[in-house]
Amino acid sequence: MIARLFGIVLVLALGACSSTGTLTTSFDADAAAFIRTAGQAEVSGQAFLRRNDGIVVYGAGSEVLLIPKTAYSDERMEQIYGSGKISYFGRTFTNDDPDYYNYARTAIADGEGRFSFDNVANGDYYLITTVTWMVQYAQQGGSLMERISVQGGQDVNVIMRGY
């Protein structure tokens, strides 16, 4: 009886950490189109994680994505990050719309995890990047997300961090 109960709890726990999800919202290219409009703002920042031993690891060489905030991206972020800003587990979606990736801008972080996007239009966005490192043969670290808002052409500087 106890073994059976343990098995049920284990199955439920593993299901909660599932790396595959399904999206209920459809991607709307018109809602994301503002990212293709030239704006006046610069979005810049730095990404890093602090390891358990206190050492800071920067997002050096990591791809940073600037993604327009839409109903579709809201649902994706909720499923990946929940109410937080860091995810230690990757996630894929069974019904991901490939056009979603055509409405994102990309930058590469420098050696100190710094990045920037020029000519960003007013609107709400998500910034996404990864900070990883190797311990023996195992990759550690995670994915970071920040919600930002560009208003009035004003520059935005963001610190993307996790502890």
Side-chain angles (χ1 to χ4, degrees):
M1 177 69 173
I2 292 176
R4 184 174 178 190
L5 181 61
F6 177 75
I8 291 170
V9 169
L10 181 61
V11 167
L12 291 173
L14 290 175
C17 295
S18 173
S19 62
T20 303
T22 302
L23 299 166
T24 59
T25 306
S26 296
F27 177 70
D28 179 0
D30 291 336
F34 68 91
I35 196 166
R36 294 183 172 170
T37 304
Q40 298 175 348
E42 177 184 32
V43 172
S44 60
Q46 184 178 33
F48 61 88
L49 283 172
R50 186 178 309 274
R51 297 185 337 192
N52 289 340
D53 61 5
I55 293 175
V56 173
V57 179
Y58 296 101
S62 293
E63 186 175 70
V64 182
L65 297 175
L66 181 68
I67 299 169
K69 187 177 182 306
T70 65
Y72 186 82
S73 62
D74 287 346
E75 183 178 359
R76 287 178 58 88
M77 298 309 145
E78 176 63 30
Q79 286 198 38
I80 296 169
Y81 298 95
S83 61
K85 296 181 178 184
I86 187 167
S87 175
Y88 296 105
F89 306 102
R91 187 157 186 96
T92 58
F93 297 98
T94 57
N95 59 337
D96 206 3
D97 189 325
D99 202 27
Y100 167 77
Y101 300 97
N102 294 325
Y103 289 84
R105 291 180 57 187
T106 305
I108 302 297
D110 71 8
E112 294 178 334
R114 297 183 192 284
F115 59 88
S116 67
F117 296 91
D118 291 330
N119 304 317
V120 178
N122 290 337
D124 294 326
Y125 298 90
Y126 290 104
L127 281 168
I128 308 273
T129 194
T130 58
V131 179
T132 58
W133 59 91
M134 297 298 290
V135 174
Q136 294 182 350
Y137 297 104
Q139 185 174 349
Q140 295 187 356
S143 175
L144 299 171
M145 179 272 297
E146 285 285 339
R147 294 173 191 91
I148 64 164
S149 184
V150 175
Q151 300 297 324
Q154 295 295 309
D155 295 346
V156 176
N157 190 358
V158 179
I159 299 296
M160 299 179 73
R161 67 174 185 240
Y163 296 103

